[in-house]
Each structure stands twice: as structure tokens, then as C-alpha cells.
Amino acid sequence: MSSPKGSSRFYTIGLVASWYSSNIGVLLLNKYLLSNYGFKYPIFLTMCHMTACSLLSYVAIAWLKMVPMQTIRSRVQFVKISLLSLVFCASVVSGNISLRYLPVSFNQAIGATTPFFTAVFAYLMTLKREAWLTYVTLVPVVTGVIIASGGEPSFHLFGFIMCVGATAARALKTVLQGILLSSEGEKLNSMNLLMYMAPIAVVFLLPATLFMEEDVVGITVALARDDIRIVWYLLFNSALAYFVNLTNFLVTKHTSALTLQVLGNAKGAVAVVVSILIFRNPVSVTGMLGYSLTVIGVILYSEAKKRSK
């Protein structure tokens, strides 16, 4: 008979494996659909993701009781959640647009600079200063991406701008969340926050989809008549987008914030290797050195943050 400690360890390993699989899976499937398959509708794809997150979040909280349901207490709190949702939308849409033009490996290299943008927004919006050593560790983070950009054979300026925008928006959401939902009465766990943000995101994305990607529903239906796989790709991809958030919440709950940071850094590296093996995109030694420098910078940044606390 296995010990509770052993079972707990296996459960945690299973959670981390699920988090990695769903995270890397949704990234690769997004890339395949938007770039290789030729489904050039990133806003509609994001709307599919948010619709799945709305439905599955409600099922997980209201029916399966995975976490207690938290209610929105006031109109002000609703406005704050709506603002977070708008920034969240901008982040996901920009990230998906960038995948049309950039390989996953370069996309991940840029994404690794999130701590730099988080530190910048935290300083600009809260005047919160970190220890000088923490800022020093951000130098290799940014330098690595500059080197990787110079050595990237598939560099695309518009894709690069969209990816930097997505990374900045992701960092802005983190800082805004800390500011807007900081009082005890307004704090929501990530599962409840997603349940409220996702349907608001669908409301934002629907007019954007109709205006910027006109007749996308008709085109998708026509595509499905020729190749029914597109329907299964979209359904699976959307469900996977929800499981990224669910497994992220569960891994955070069963490990520490520091463990999550370390696992997150490793996940980026795994995604790079897997994407290169699958998509066979050309990589240069300069690009890989730049990405490695960025990852080292992020690890040093995490260490500096931990020591300054």
C-alpha cells in the first residue's frame, strides 16, 4: 500500500505534467492552426478560447465545486474586472497574432522578458522600487532577446511588435490585478477571476471579430465542409486553453510560488525544443545563445527577488 506522502508526490508530478502538456499543447496547436494550417483568424480563435473558459469555469465552480464560488460585491469591482479582462484580451490576441509570423521558439524567448515589463509597470504605477540587484538581473533578460532577435532567421517586425505587446500586456495585467483587487473584500482566486473575466472578454472580442475578421463564421463552416478536422481542432484547442488556467491554479495551490517560477522557466525551454522538433524552423547559434542568456537572467531575477524579501 502506497504512503499518503508518495501518493501526494505522484499527484503533484501528474499536475505539473498536465500543466506542461496543456501549456505547450495549446501553444503548438495555435501555431499549427494560425500558421501551418492557414486558419488566419487570431481574434476569432481567442474568442473560442474565452467562450470555452466561460463555460468550463462555471462547470468547475458551480457544479463540480472545485473552489467555493466568490461573488462580485459591487459595480466598482465589476468595472475593475472588466478592465483586467480588456488587458487580458489584448495580451492573448497579440500573442496569437504573433504566432502567425514568428516561430514558437522566438515567441517564447520574447515571452521570457515578462519580469522586465512587470518591474517597469510596478515602478510606474505604484512607485514600488526593487533592490538594485534585482534591476541588474534584468539586463541579461533584455540583452538576451536583443541578441536572439539579431540571430533569428525567421524574424518578422510586425510579429515581433505583437509579441512584445502581448508580453507587456501580460505583465500589466499582473500589476493591475495586484492594485485593483488588493482589498480583502475584492480578492478573487484565479479560478473565479477567470469565470468572470472570460465572458466579459467574449463581449469585447465579438465586435472585434465581426469588424476585423468579417465572415469568419461562414469561412469556418465552409472549411468544416471540406475538412471536419477544423471543428475538432478548434474544440480541442479551446478546451486546452481552459486547462492551461486550471492546471496553473492547481500547480500554484500544491507547490510554492518559487517552484512555479522555476517550473515556468523550464517550461519555456521545453516548449522551444519541442516546437523546433515539430515545426523544423531554422534556428541559429546566436539565437539560442540569446534565448539562453534571457533564461539565465530570469533565473537570477527570481533569486534576487527572493533574497530581497
Side-chain angles (χ1 to χ4, degrees), residues 239-259:
L240 213 52
Y242 171 70
F243 282 106
V244 168
N245 292 283
L246 175 64
T247 52
N248 187 63
F249 171 77
L250 292 171
V251 169
T252 309
K253 192 177 166 186
H254 285 87
T255 63
S256 65
L258 183 67
T259 306

Side-chain angles (χ1 to χ4, degrees), residues 15-241:
L15 277 180
V16 172
S18 302
W19 181 48
Y20 268 44
S21 305
S22 57
N23 229 298
I24 295 169
V26 81
L27 190 66
L28 298 179
L29 196 47
N30 282 350
K31 174 65 181 172
Y32 174 73
L33 282 169
L34 294 166
S35 193
N36 297 52
Y37 189 85
F39 187 79
K40 297 171 182 175
Y41 306 104
I43 304 174
F44 178 71
L45 184 65
T46 308
M47 194 176 79
C48 290
H49 289 181
M50 292 301 117
T51 304
C53 286
S54 305
L55 297 170
L56 294 172
S57 290
Y58 185 77
V59 169
I61 296 170
W63 295 357
L64 302 178
K65 313 279 186 199
M66 291 189 76
V67 292
M69 186 177 279
Q70 295 169 293
T71 54
I72 295 178
R73 306 273 179 96
S74 64
R75 187 178 292 177
V76 173
Q77 190 185 9
F78 175 76
V79 170
K80 289 175 179 179
I81 291 169
S82 299
L83 181 60
L84 280 175
S85 184
L86 188 61
V87 177
F88 183 49
C89 273
S91 166
V92 180
V93 170
S94 304
N96 283 340
I97 291 171
S98 77
L99 281 171
R100 268 191 67 189
Y101 303 100
L102 299 178
V104 173
S105 50
F106 189 44
N107 180 283
Q108 288 295 286
I110 299 166
T113 60
T114 304
F116 167 76
F117 289 103
T118 306
V120 169
F121 286 128
Y123 177 71
L124 291 175
M125 298 172 78
T126 66
L127 297 178
K128 181 190 169 194
R129 291 191 177 194
E130 302 285 355
W132 67 270
L133 190 62
T134 309
Y135 290 117
V136 169
T137 61
L138 291 170
V139 174
V141 172
V142 178
T143 307
V145 167
I146 294 167
I147 293 168
S149 303
E152 175 54 53
S154 311
F155 183 83
H156 189 285
L157 183 61
F158 179 67
F160 175 75
I161 292 167
M162 284 290 108
C163 199
V164 170
T167 307
R170 196 158 51 239
L172 179 60
K173 178 189 164 280
T174 304
V175 176
L176 273 176
Q177 196 171 319
I179 298 168
L180 298 179
L181 304 177
S182 56
S183 67
E184 279 307 314
E186 290 186 330
K187 274 185 184 169
L188 295 170
N189 64 48
S190 59
M191 293 272 282
N192 274 274
L193 185 59
L194 182 67
M195 183 180 72
Y196 291 120
M197 279 200 322
I200 297 168
V202 174
V203 172
F204 287 137
L205 291 166
L206 184 60
T209 304
L210 295 172
F211 180 70
M212 298 174 77
E213 298 177 344
E214 49 187 308
D215 201 29
V216 65
V217 177
I219 292 164
T220 307
V221 170
L223 261 175
R225 286 200 188 103
D226 292 334
D227 183 7
I228 194 65
R229 286 180 306 170
I230 186 66
V231 176
W232 299 112
Y233 284 148
L234 288 173
L235 286 172
F236 180 65
N237 186 238
S238 301
L240 213 52

